[in-house]
Amino acid sequence: MLNSVPENSLPAFRAAAEAGYAVEMDVHLTADDRLVVFHDDTLERTTDAAGAALELDWAELSLLDAGGWHGRIFAGEPLPSLDGIAAFILRNGHALNIELKPAPGDEERTGRLVAQAVRRLWGEAVHDEQAVWPLPSSFR
């Protein structure tokens, strides 16, 4: 079932959660410092655009089709933001691993912005014991 949905998409996170798995997602910074859920450094493989993902701002990235490559049923599926996926995770009480995908030389800033977002998004829920902190990771 999990390979029947586009990666790093809300349908993929729903399928993983339904199967009882923790969710792992990849996070990049956009050109305007928003956090977008996307695996690759470039857009060609999983969207209807080309080029470096980090060179576009959130307004441009949010208009891309990130599902059509996987099948017509997913056509028009947008790239999710960290805020959007956090809302799903927190509402449903799932575990989350956030893999940071910083641009070369931008590791510290990416980590700082992800940490700030996690505190903002999870802080109150974790304090009220409704959720657990996500696990950050990175291979860069």
Side-chain angles (χ1 to χ4, degrees), residues 50-65:
L54 60 89
E55 293 178 359
L56 299 178
D57 62 27
W58 173 245
E60 295 167 302
L61 289 168
S62 67
L63 297 175
L64 299 181
D65 179 350

Side-chain angles (χ1 to χ4, degrees), residues 27-36 53-56 61 101-103 106 109-111 113-114:
V27 175
H28 288 266
L29 281 179
T30 64
D32 57 346
D33 290 342
R34 298 280 303 269
L35 295 164
V36 63
L54 60 89
E55 293 178 359
L56 299 178
L61 289 168
K101 298 276 190 144
D106 209 15
R109 188 170 71 94
T110 301
L113 292 174
V114 169

Side-chain angles (χ1 to χ4, degrees), residues 93-104:
H94 299 302
L96 177 65
N97 175 347
I98 301 173
E99 183 179 335
L100 286 70
K101 298 276 190 144

Side-chain angles (χ1 to χ4, degrees), residues 7 10 19 30 35 40 50 64 66 93 110 126-127:
E7 64 187 63
L10 186 54
T30 64
L35 295 164
D40 299 349
L64 299 181
T110 301
V126 170
H127 177 71

Side-chain angles (χ1 to χ4, degrees), residues 13-87:
F13 302 132
R14 286 183 178 136
E18 187 176 299
Y21 297 120
V23 172
E24 183 272 340
M25 67 182 187
D26 305 298
V27 175
H28 288 266
L29 281 179
T30 64
D32 57 346
D33 290 342
R34 298 280 303 269
L35 295 164
V36 63
V37 178
F38 188 71
H39 181 271
D40 299 349
D41 292 330
T42 60
L43 299 164
E44 290 84 0
R45 185 175 66 85
T46 61
T47 74
D48 60 344
L54 60 89
E55 293 178 359
L56 299 178
D57 62 27
W58 173 245
E60 295 167 302
L61 289 168
S62 67
L63 297 175
L64 299 181
D65 179 350
W69 67 274
H70 199 74
R72 288 187 311 173
I73 192 170
F74 299 109
E77 186 66 39
L79 288 171
S81 67
L82 175 60
D83 284 33
I85 297 304

